[in-house]
Structure formats: C-alpha cells, structure tokens
C-alpha cells in the first residue's frame, strides 16, 4: 500500500483528459468535479484507517472474494470521503458488475485501469499535480515559521517544520547530527545503522565542497541530504564538518523542480535558526564546565569544587535526587597543517555525541557541560542513579547488559563511544584529520575529579599513540601493558619485534607453516598443551614439534615466564 501527496485543487475529470493514463469512466460522471487531494494504492479489505478524504484509490481487486465484498468495500470508501475509485483489469479482466453497481449506489466515480497501464504512472501523475500546486502554500507556511522562530522560542523545534513536510508534501524527513543522532523526525525513527551511514555520506560530500543536496542509497532507499548551516561558520569546511547538522529526506531530489529545491533550502535555514538557539542555550553549561575545570586544574580544595558543582546542579542535573557520579571525557581534533582551529569543533562534537546519553526530554544536551580548554574539549558528564541508559545497538553506551538500575550509575564505556564515532566521522576526517578521545572512570565525589581529569588526559594520550583516524581509550587501559606499549619508540619497537618474530615469519613463508598463529594460540591458552592443541585441531605431538621449532629458531624457552612475556609483547607491538 502506498500513499502520496495530499490536498490541492486537481479535479477528477483531469484524469480523463490525460490520454496517456488510458482510464475508462464506468460511472459517476456527475461527480467528476470532485477535488483530488492525494492518491492511495491498496488491496486491503478495509483501508479506511489510512484514508483522510479526497484520495483517488487505486486497487487491483485482490480483496474481492464474492460479489458481496464489493458493497462492503465501497461503503467504507464512501464513508471515508474518497474522491473516486480506479480498479485494475489485470486481476479479473473486466470490472465486475457488482462493483459498478455498488459505486453507483454510493455515487462514487469508478474508473477502469487498462492492464497495460501501471498504477505507478497514475500515482506519479497525481503526485505531480498535487505537489506542484501545494508547494507555494507550503513555502508561505515555512516563511511564517521562520519569522516566528527568529523572533522568539520555537514552537516544537525542528519537528514542527518536519511535520509540515510530511503532511503537505508527504516527505519523510529527519534532522541528524554529524554522529547520526536524531535531533528531529516526523514520527518515523530511522535505524541507527542507517543514520550512521547517512552521517558519513554527508561528511564525505561536504569535504568535496559540492553544493547540496547529496543523494545516497541506503538499504534499498534513496535519501537526499541537505546541509544545515548555523551561524557564520568558517571559511574552511573542516572547521564545521564534524559538528554540522543536516536534513535527510527520503526521496531522490535529482529531478526536483527548482521551486521544491528552494523550499527545502528554506527549511534548512529554518532549522539553522533552531541550531543557533540551542548553541546559545549551551553557553551557560559551557561556562559552568569551564569554571569547574579551572578549579580542578588549579588544584582547588575539594570543598570549593563541591560547592561549585552543587551550584551547577540545577542546570546540569535538574530534578535529580542525591549526589550524581561524574565522568570526564577529553577530545582533541587535529588537522594536517594546523591552520584550522580544532578546539571549538571538538567542543561541539562532544556536545552532540554525548547527547544520546542525556536525560530524556529537552534537546538531549541539557545535562552535558563541555569546556573548550586550549586545543581540547573537556566534558563533565553526570551519571545519576536510575537514569535510563541504552543497553544495546549502535546507540549503546554501556555495552552489553540491561540499563542501569539501583544506586550505582552505569558509566560511559570507551568501546561503545568508539562505535558511535568511528563510522560517521572517519569519512569527515578524511586523510588529513584525527580525533582522539579519552574517558575517565566514574567518580562519586568532588575529591575524585582531579584524578578523573588525569585519567582522561592519559587515556587520550594512549588513544593518540594508536594508528587510525578515530581512536578512543578508557581508564581501564591505564592499569595494563596497553598503557606502556604506545610510548615505546618506533625504532625500539621494530628492533624488538624483528629479533623475536622475523625468524618465525621467514620460516612460515618458506615452508608455508603456521608458527606465528601457533605461538599466539599457545600464549592465549596460558601454555596449556591440551587446550592449545584442541583449539588448533592438532595432535599434541604436532603442537610440541611446532613449539620446539619456535624455540630453536629464536633461541628462547617457552617454559620460562620471561620468554613468554617477551613473545607476548612482541606480538602486541607488531
């Protein structure tokens, strides 16, 4: 079943005036001046729930089993106030007399659709007539909304104008952030993987400086992406590509007339007004975060930091009972050449990506405070007991398991944060940008904030030492060898791994053997012969032969802890 554009002054008789449609009127000539406000294709026995009045209904008659079904079907259409009925001849051949009689009783115009004419052709014709005349009216409505939003608080935010697109042009549209967070949508949530793919496509297209809209096919559907520019923006697209919003419309705008494209550009300007307003509202939280971080970085007494947090609580955690736990997230964006200021972009990016974790209601960021300190962004993230936390999917913060319950808030995990950032942002960073993020442990008192700040700093340095465009490290990695390995100089790393592993690699190449995988499995099984042999599907004697060969080639003894540790580190650094 498909439903298309709604409301205009098109008349039924226009269908007969269009020879290409090949429609034959079977009854209702006196009703041909009825206005057509939309078109709907259905074979449901009762489609009334999807009708609002004024539609031309197209049907293939699959609902008809007996002659009595015709009167039931037409009664429902007449009660819904449809403009007319067009029945296809492909299913039954000639249109049944019982359907003709039922339409006559209810004064419902009836058309026969030749089996050589596709319903899609009729639908396209009606949509073109309806939407073309409606666009001017909608443009006036959008302009009125723009004036209202520019002069005062928004009535409904982006959702209000998206509702206009849905009801007046039957366009499904969403406002998305650079990370794929849904900021506004007209009642049809997009799956997280689709949102992430659209966000990546938007950033990749923006880096090419091509004018929008950008078109992309995702999971068999075509979307047109319109950039939303808030404020003056920067001359270099890199200053905003990681934090821009965009409008995603489920349609192919490639063949739209100029009037409709202008209308959608007007919609993006309207959304930009809302973005500017939200940025202004964030100023208070940004200032509070700056004050807290200044105290913590300056070594202020915990009592002073606690007093500042209590004063900020009504803004950061409105309505929360008890003392919240806190986490600190630090992010840095780096561009080749260093000529693009990266701190503000990192600040806006953290506000967007951490918003998915914010309390329900508001704009999704009313509990996130992010300061711009030197060339980095520092976020103060409150964790309150009992707050809902997503527990699965691409939007998950807390990893596997249920959401938080009881008194212990569920902390933000680096791995889940990396999952949200890497897909969309890698394409925006391109070949000349990097994003590194560090996440602290959760602390339950102001006394712990200084340690959390240091943890986040060190974690970000660990992330920065790794390869890749988007890297995130968490506090849990600071208590393991993972903390040390990234800081081993490259020449030392190469010499150490070459001495231990190059003889094994050369042997594997010459003999097409698997000494390196065998070594990895042996260490992973803690040196257990039986477990390792079972994992590799080998006889224990074969495994013993391979380990003996490794020891002969390297001069090491895998029964000694020191040699096992050296091999373990060499494999991790290779």
């Amino acid at each position: 079943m498909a439903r298309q554009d709604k409301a205009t002054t098109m008349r039924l008789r226009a269908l007969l005036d269009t020879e290409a449609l090949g429609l034959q009127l079977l009854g209702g000539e006196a009703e041909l001046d009825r206005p057509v406000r939309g078109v709907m294709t259905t074979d449901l026995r009762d489609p009334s729930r999807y009708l609002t009045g004024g539609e031309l209904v197209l049907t293939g008659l699959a609902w008809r089993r007996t002659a009595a079904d015709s009167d039931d079907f037409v009664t429902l259409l007449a009660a819904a106030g449809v403009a007319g009925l067009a029945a296809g001849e492909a299913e039954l051949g000639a249109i049944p007399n019982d359907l003709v009689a039922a339409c006559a009783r209810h004064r419902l115009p009836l058309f026969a659709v030749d089996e050589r004419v596709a319903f899609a052709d009729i639908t396209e014709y009606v949509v073109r007539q309806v939407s073309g005349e409606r666009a001017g009216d909608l443009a006036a409505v959008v302009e009125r909304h723009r004036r209202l939003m520019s002069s005062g608080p928004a009535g409904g935010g982006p959702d209000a104008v998206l509702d206009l697109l849905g009801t007046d042009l039957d366009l499904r549209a969403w406002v998305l952030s650079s990370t794929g967070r849904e900021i506004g949508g007209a009642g049809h949530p997009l799956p997280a993987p689709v949102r992430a793919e659209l966000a990546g496509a938007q950033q990749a297209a923006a880096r090419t400086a091509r004018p929008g809209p950008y078109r992309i096919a995702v999971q068999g559907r075509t979307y047109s992406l319109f950039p939303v520019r808030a404020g003056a923006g920067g001359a270099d697209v890199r200053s905003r590509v990681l934090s821009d919003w965009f409008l995603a419309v489920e349609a192919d705008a490639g063949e739209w007339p100029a009037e409709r494209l202008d209308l959608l550009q007007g919609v993006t300007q309207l959304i930009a007004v809302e973005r500017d307003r939200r940025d202004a509202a964030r100023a208070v939280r940004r200032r509070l975060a700056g004050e807290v971080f200044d105290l913590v970085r300056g070594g202020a007494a915990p009592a002073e930091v606690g007093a500042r947090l209590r004063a900020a609580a009504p803004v950061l955690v409105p309505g929360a009972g008890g003392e919240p736990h806190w986490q600190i997230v630090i992010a840095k964006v780096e561009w080749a050449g260093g000529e693009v200021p990266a701190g503000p972009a990192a600040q806006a990016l953290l506000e967007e990506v951490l918003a998915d974790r914010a309390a329900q209601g508001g704009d999704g960021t009313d509990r996130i405070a992010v300061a711009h300190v030197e060339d980095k962004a520092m976020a103060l993230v409150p964790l309150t007991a009992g707050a809902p936390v997503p527990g699965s999917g691409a939007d998950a913060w807390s990893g596997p398991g249920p959401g938080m319950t009881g008194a212990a808030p569920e902390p933000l995990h680096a791995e889940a944060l990396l999952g949200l950032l890497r897909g969309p942002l890698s394409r925006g960073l391109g070949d000349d940008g990097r994003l590194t993020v560090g996440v602290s442990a959760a602390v339950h008192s102001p006394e712990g904030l200084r340690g959390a700040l240091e943890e986040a700093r060190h974690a970000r340095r660990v992330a920065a030492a790794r390869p890749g465009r988007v890297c995130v490290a968490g506090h849990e990695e600071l208590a393991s060898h993972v903390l040390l390995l990234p800081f081993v100089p490259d020449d030392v790393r190469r010499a150490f791994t070459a001495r231990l592993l190059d003889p094994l690699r050369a042997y594997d190449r010459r003999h097409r053997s698997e000494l390196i995988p065998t070594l990895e499995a042996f260490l992973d099984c803690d040196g257990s012969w039986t477990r390792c042999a079972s994992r590799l599907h080998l006889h224990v004697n074969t495994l013993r032969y391979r380990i003996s060969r490794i020891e002969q080639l390297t001069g090491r003894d895998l029964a000694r802890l020191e040699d096992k540790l050296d091999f373990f580190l060499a494999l991790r650094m290779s």
Side-chain angles (χ1 to χ4, degrees):
M1 180 179 62
R3 173 93 187 273
Q4 298 296 336
D5 295 338
K6 180 182 165 187
T8 188
T9 56
M10 175 189 170
R11 306 292 174 178
L12 274 177
R13 66 175 63 256
L15 298 171
L16 295 176
D17 295 337
T18 306
E19 294 184 3
L21 298 181
L23 296 180
Q24 178 185 359
L25 182 65
L26 301 182
E29 184 174 0
E31 307 293 332
L32 290 181
D33 284 329
R34 289 186 180 186
V36 179
R37 297 186 175 90
V39 58
M40 178 185 187
T41 301
T42 184
D43 276 313
L44 293 176
R45 295 174 65 87
D46 181 6
S48 57
R49 73 185 69 178
Y50 304 107
L51 298 169
T52 58
E55 295 91 347
L56 171 68
V57 175
L58 305 176
T59 181
L61 300 177
W63 47 266
R64 183 183 178 277
R65 296 292 182 269
T66 67
D69 293 337
S70 293
D71 193 70
D72 293 340
F73 185 75
V74 174
T75 298
L76 292 169
L77 298 188
V82 304
L85 175 64
E89 296 178 338
E91 181 78 14
L92 301 177
I95 304 302
N97 291 331
D98 48 86
L99 181 59
V100 177
C103 288
R105 283 194 297 273
H106 292 279
R107 300 180 61 187
L108 182 65
L110 175 63
F111 300 87
V113 182
D114 190 283
E115 62 181 5
R116 294 168 296 180
V117 177
F119 281 180
D121 294 336
I122 301 173
T123 298
E124 181 182 356
Y125 172 81
V126 175
V127 167
R128 188 166 58 248
Q129 297 299 314
V130 171
S131 61
E133 297 181 14
R134 186 60 179 162
D137 294 339
L138 181 58
V141 174
V142 169
E143 178 60 30
R144 183 165 65 252
H145 274 65
R146 181 188 296 114
R147 290 196 299 269
L148 289 173
M149 293 179 72
S150 300
S151 60
D159 284 342
V161 70
L162 297 182
D163 284 340
L164 287 175
L165 292 178
T167 57
D168 288 49
L169 292 184
D170 202 26
L171 291 175
R172 291 173 42 161
W174 302 262
V175 179
L176 303 177
S177 75
S178 58
T179 61
R181 180 173 72 91
E182 185 172 312
I183 297 160
H188 304 282
L190 279 174
V194 174
R195 289 188 274 112
E197 180 65 24
L198 293 178
Q202 160 65 24
Q203 291 177 57
R207 288 298 305 269
T208 67
R210 288 191 294 114
Y214 318 122
R215 289 174 288 161
I216 177 177
V218 181
Q219 296 186 3
R221 297 179 182 271
T222 300
Y223 298 86
S224 297
L225 312 180
F226 295 80
V228 172
R229 300 281 182 247
D236 194 315
V237 69
R238 293 177 297 177
S239 66
R240 60 178 187 269
V241 68
L242 301 184
S243 57
D244 269 354
W245 289 2
F246 65 99
L247 176 68
V249 181
E250 188 182 324
D252 187 343
E255 298 182 357
W256 280 4
E259 293 80 5
R260 178 169 285 205
L261 289 173
D262 289 344
L263 172 62
L264 267 294
Q265 294 295 346
V267 170
T268 64
Q269 294 170 16
L270 183 57
I271 296 168
V273 172
E274 177 68 11
R275 172 69 187 269
D276 280 335
R277 181 175 13 264
R278 294 193 185 188
D279 282 346
R282 288 173 176 170
V284 174
R285 294 189 292 277
R286 290 174 173 176
R287 178 176 55 80
L288 291 174
E291 293 173 356
V292 171
F293 283 120
D294 283 345
L295 291 174
V296 175
R297 292 166 60 233
E304 187 178 359
V305 177
R308 191 70 197 92
L309 283 175
R310 285 190 293 274
V315 175
L316 300 182
V317 280
E323 291 291 331
H325 293 194
W326 302 92
Q327 269 185 290
I328 292 176
V329 180
I330 296 180
K332 183 177 182 179
V333 176
E334 299 172 277
W335 297 105
E339 68 275 9
V340 179
Q347 182 180 43
L349 175 61
L350 276 190
E351 288 170 336
E352 291 296 344
V353 74
L354 295 177
D356 276 343
R357 187 176 175 80
Q360 300 297 312
D363 68 0
T365 59
D366 53 2
R367 304 194 329 167
I368 305 300
V370 186
H372 169 207
V373 181
E374 298 174 349
D375 59 346
K376 303 178 188 68
M378 297 184 178
L380 190 62
V381 182
L383 310 170
T384 55
V389 176
S392 61
D395 289 329
W397 290 101
S398 55
M404 175 183 59
T405 58
E410 183 68 42
L412 166 67
H413 288 278
E415 184 177 354
L417 182 56
L418 176 61
L420 282 176
L421 291 170
R422 181 165 49 195
L425 298 187
S426 293
R427 300 174 70 181
L429 289 163
D431 295 329
D432 57 347
R434 286 200 78 207
L435 169 66
T436 53
V437 183
V439 182
S440 79
V443 297
H444 65 278
S445 66
E447 288 84 353
L449 279 181
R450 184 172 181 81
L453 179 59
E454 290 305 314
E455 279 186 341
R457 282 173 166 167
H458 285 307
R460 196 208 63 79
R461 293 191 190 106
V462 170
R466 294 173 175 166
R469 291 295 169 193
V470 180
C471 298
V472 182
H475 63 92
E476 63 276 359
E477 300 180 50
L478 303 184
S480 113
H481 67 278
V482 176
L483 173 63
L484 302 176
L485 294 185
F487 300 100
V488 177
D490 286 343
D491 56 342
V492 175
R493 181 194 300 261
R494 286 192 294 269
F496 182 75
T497 58
R499 182 177 179 184
L500 283 173
L501 301 183
D502 278 4
L504 306 183
R505 290 172 177 147
Y507 186 90
D508 281 346
R509 284 195 300 270
R510 286 196 308 269
H511 300 278
R512 297 183 180 180
S513 57
E514 296 183 340
L515 295 186
I516 291 288
T518 300
L519 176 61
E520 291 175 328
F522 186 73
L523 295 175
D524 196 41
C525 292
D526 299 323
S528 169
W529 296 99
T530 54
R531 282 197 292 130
C532 183
S534 175
R535 175 182 294 189
L536 296 175
H537 305 290
L538 298 175
H539 192 278
V540 172
N541 288 342
T542 303
L543 176 61
R544 290 186 184 278
Y545 171 79
R546 290 187 182 181
I547 296 299
S548 174
R549 178 61 64 185
I550 290 171
E551 292 173 336
Q552 292 172 6
L553 291 170
T554 60
R556 298 300 185 106
D557 181 358
L558 278 166
R560 298 178 64 246
L561 176 62
E562 293 86 349
D563 288 342
K564 286 180 181 177
L565 181 59
D566 283 349
F567 277 121
F568 175 81
L569 293 175
L571 289 169
R572 289 297 182 273
M573 289 191 293
S574 63

